Amino acid sequence: MSSIGQRFSRLASNPKLLVSVLASVASIGLALNYSAPQYPIYNQGGKTFTNGDEWIDLKLIKSIDLTKDTKHLYFELKDKDDVSGLITASLLLTKFVTPKGSNVIRPYTPVSDLEQKGVIEFVVKKYEGGKMSSHIHDLKPNDTLSFKGPIVKWKWEPNQFKQISLIGGGTGITPLYQLVDEITKNPKDNTKIDLFYGSLTEEDILLKKELDAIASKHNQLKIHYFVDKATPTWKGETGYISKEFLSKALPGPSADTKVFVCGPPGLYKAVSGPKVSPSDQGDLTGVLADLGYAKENVFKF
Ligand SMILES: Cc1cc2nc3c(=O)[nH]c(=O)nc-3n(C[C@H](O)[C@H](O)[C@H](O)COP(=O)(O)OP(=O)(O)OC[C@H]3O[C@@H](n4cnc5c(N)ncnc54)[C@H](O)[C@@H]3O)c2cc1C
Ligand SMILES: *[C@@H]1O[C@H](CO)[C@@H](O)[C@H](O)[C@H]1NC(C)=O
Ligand SMILES: *[C@@H]1O[C@H](CO)[C@@H](O)[C@H](O)[C@H]1NC(C)=O
């Protein structure tokens, strides 16, 4: 908007030019039945998702195997100049209709930078017999999937806390990754981040290349990987993310810090207690409660 304003103020110093530009904008507007404010005078690119109630079909560009059961999928946004329209941390709903006519709807969290134009990316794990995850894994390039949203889970503000601890397992890394990306790419955001990320084996660690690249460039991010089954060459932690480890590694509860948790049911149960519903965080139990954390110190994605 400001660049349009600047251009108009420049034009305004030349009245004849201003009149002719306004007249041509107005006549284009009439011919196409667009009202003037909506007419894109400069092609700035829009947002594909604006929290409307409509389902938007996006075309799959490619899907890549990340692990034996997880794919990285790239979908085309409505316009190549569009951004997704999401803020950190948000998700989208996906939908497909079964041959019998019932709707299958599930939430997924994009992992692409939210300012990326033209393309939105997801990491999706396939569950045995899983309706949506099997459907998504079977999509071929040029197939479409319906999306709706966004749904904001946690609205991040720069320097919202001095330090945050992210505790995740498996595909639960996806909203945590959005936070890591958002914070580290903003030079004015000095939030320190400790990521504790559990996976089955080293090969199952999702987005490891991306995470390691960010950590090597940004001191503010420290990553602690955990695997259930380690190989002899594994340099990270072995076993579950434990109370013993967290008691030493977490800064302790305070208003300057926050813990974000996302993972499979077992991880919630052990670390924070489960969420009751999308709108009810439930009581804080588990390791974090044992370590003196209170409900308001923790957010469960
Ligand atoms: C806020 C939010 C964000 C999410 N973001 C992502 C994401 O970025 N990437 C991603 O891959 N998934 C994500 N999920 C999970 C996703 O929405 C689906 O629940 C998942 O893909 C399974 O759906 P499905 O239809 O394939 O399985 P369903 O048909 O619903 O379930 C089939 C069987 O799969 C097993 N199963 C399903 N979900 C799980 C689970 N979480 N842990 C263990 N077993 C399970 C169960 O045995 C279940 O009976 C997110 C979930 C939430 C709530
Ligand atoms: C523009 O709107 C007018 C009145 O609403 C309508 O009669 C006309 O057909 C429309 N023109 C176009 C090109 O849609
Ligand atoms: C997808 O569509 C494009 C353009 O319509 C076409 O060139 C390409 O071959 C298609 N790819 C597949 C795998 O069908």
Side-chain angles (χ1 to χ4, degrees):
M1 284 313 277
S2 72
S3 80
I4 293 174
Q6 279 160 14
R7 286 179 207 220
F8 270 99
S9 67
R10 237 181 287 135
L11 287 170
S13 62
N14 180 345
K16 263 193 201 155
L17 189 53
L18 176 62
V19 167
S20 80
V21 167
L22 289 179
S24 65
V25 168
S27 65
I28 292 168
L30 282 177
L32 298 176
N33 275 1
Y34 284 118
S35 63
Q38 287 172 342
Y39 184 75
I41 303 172
Y42 303 103
N43 188 9
Q44 296 188 319
K47 295 173 177 176
T48 293
F49 294 99
T50 55
N51 203 11
D53 201 37
E54 52 169 343
W55 290 96
I56 298 173
D57 289 348
L58 300 184
K59 193 161 92 173
L60 182 71
I61 301 168
K62 59 174 176 179
S63 77
I64 292 170
D65 289 324
L66 282 186
T67 71
K68 59 186 182 308
D69 54 13
T70 306
K71 286 188 190 233
H72 191 151
L73 301 114
Y74 299 73
F75 290 89
E76 210 171 73
L77 292 170
K78 265 204 308 202
D79 187 285
K80 69 174 175 32
D81 291 321
D82 269 10
V83 294
S84 66
L86 275 61
I87 59 164
T88 299
S90 315
L91 54 84
L92 291 172
L93 297 176
T94 62
K95 183 184 83 167
F96 81 96
V97 184
T98 65
K100 285 183 178 167
S102 54
N103 286 342
V104 177
I105 298 174
R106 301 281 185 273
Y108 290 93
T109 320
V111 294
S112 42
D113 188 294
L114 298 179
E115 284 166 61
Q116 174 168 292
K117 289 186 173 175
V119 178
I120 187 166
E121 304 168 33
F122 295 87
V123 167
V124 174
K125 176 173 174 179
K126 179 174 173 170
Y127 293 96
E128 212 45 62
K131 290 192 186 73
M132 182 58 81
S133 59
S134 304
H135 177 78
I136 290 177
H137 273 237
D138 288 344
L139 292 175
K140 302 273 174 296
N142 292 354
D143 286 348
T144 61
L145 184 64
S146 301
F147 291 89
K148 185 162 93 170
I151 298 171
V152 179
K153 296 292 284 191
W154 178 275
K155 188 172 185 303
W156 179 258
E157 310 279 358
N159 301 304
Q160 202 169 24
F161 301 99
K162 289 204 172 111
Q163 186 277 349
I164 57 173
S165 305
L166 311 178
I167 303 178
T171 54
I173 191 66
T174 51
L176 308 179
Y177 184 80
Q178 265 189 23
L179 284 170
V180 166
D181 180 58
E182 176 77 21
I183 293 167
T184 55
K185 81 176 181 197
N186 179 358
K188 296 200 179 85
D189 195 332
N190 303 315
T191 309
K192 292 207 173 352
I193 310 168
D194 282 279
L195 170 63
F196 306 87
Y197 180 23
S199 307
L200 211 53
T201 71
E202 189 174 354
E203 283 168 6
D204 293 302
I205 302 174
L206 304 174
L207 301 167
K208 184 167 191 296
K209 201 166 47 119
E210 290 83 353
L211 286 165
D212 289 344
I214 296 174
S216 72
K217 272 193 247 147
H218 299 274
N219 284 334
Q220 74 197 114
L221 172 65
K222 296 272 178 294
I223 307 179
H224 313 268
Y225 293 111
F226 291 72
V227 298
D228 299 354
K229 292 179 209 131
T231 58
T233 54
W234 171 241
K235 292 194 180 63
E237 307 299 326
T238 303
Y240 292 152
I241 304 171
S242 67
K243 178 172 167 182
E244 194 201 0
F245 192 94
L246 288 177
S247 70
K248 290 185 204 127
L250 293 181
S254 82
D256 291 334
T257 69
K258 189 100 180 173
V259 183
F260 293 88
V261 184
C262 191
L267 181 124
Y268 283 112
K269 186 163 184 286
V271 170
S272 63
K275 266 185 316 190
V276 175
S277 71
S279 59
D280 183 350
Q281 288 270 299
D283 287 336
L284 187 74
T285 59
V287 169
L288 291 173
D290 293 348
L291 295 176
Y293 282 80
K295 195 169 169 168
E296 64 267 22
N297 304 128
V298 178
F299 182 77
K300 307 171 191 174
F301 272 105

